[in-house]
Amino acid sequence: MSIFGKIKDAIFGEAKAASPKPGAGNVAPTASPGTKTHQTAPAEVSEVDVERNLAAMAEGKDLNWRTSIVDLMKLIGVDSSLDNRKELAQELGYAGQLDGSAEMNIWLHKATMRELAANGGKVPPELLN
């Protein structure tokens, strides 16, 4: 599994497996093959409140997850080593030096938050910019 996938799974957690919203259809096909049926994909949770989930995880911990990719990864139980951050940077398309610099880490945190938002996470603007 990708590093970003581990991050997403840790933050989105149970929300991905939450039951569908009332009124959402989960209709399985009942007709024989070759006939048209009405089939609705399982409903997904529209947005996961990333900030709320992370804040809940951070209660009682002294981690600066709002700006530090290292602390964010530590908070959710993902290895924050330079090798893993390099891999995450490559996954997310970082074009700079993979040296663990402040520039790389700041970019990585913002890119991670943007990618969480692009995958159904509700992320406040101050964590995206």
Side-chain angles (χ1 to χ4, degrees), residues 9 14 37 45-46 56 63-64 75 87 91 93 98 118 123 128-129:
D9 287 351
E14 295 175 20
T37 61
V45 176
S46 60
L63 294 171
N64 186 14
L75 175 63
E87 185 176 332
E91 288 174 28
L98 296 172
V123 180
L128 297 171
N129 301 317

Side-chain angles (χ1 to χ4, degrees), residues 98-114:
L98 296 172
D99 57 4
S101 66
E103 178 184 315
M104 180 186 120
N105 289 331
I106 291 167
W107 182 94
L108 201 48
H109 187 276
K110 291 175 192 263
T112 299
M113 290 297 168
R114 285 191 300 269

Side-chain angles (χ1 to χ4, degrees), residues 66-101:
R66 292 178 185 276
T67 58
S68 169
I69 189 64
V70 171
D71 283 357
L72 173 65
M73 293 172 83
K74 285 180 182 179
L75 175 63
I76 60 177
V78 173
D79 178 8
S80 63
S81 68
L82 179 56
D83 285 341
N84 271 2
R85 286 182 283 128
K86 285 178 182 180
E87 185 176 332
L88 178 60
Q90 290 172 326
E91 288 174 28
L92 298 179
Y94 183 65
Q97 292 292 317
L98 296 172
D99 57 4
S101 66

Side-chain angles (χ1 to χ4, degrees), residues 2-3 12-13 29 36 44 48 51 57-58 62 64 77 85 87 92 107 111 123 125 128-129:
S2 70
I3 302 296
F12 284 27
K36 292 185 178 183
E44 292 184 26
V48 174
E51 181 180 35
M57 289 180 208
D62 187 26
N64 186 14
R85 286 182 283 128
E87 185 176 332
L92 298 179
W107 182 94
V123 180
L128 297 171
N129 301 317

Side-chain angles (χ1 to χ4, degrees), residues 23-36:
N26 288 326
V27 180
T30 56
S32 61
T35 61
K36 292 185 178 183

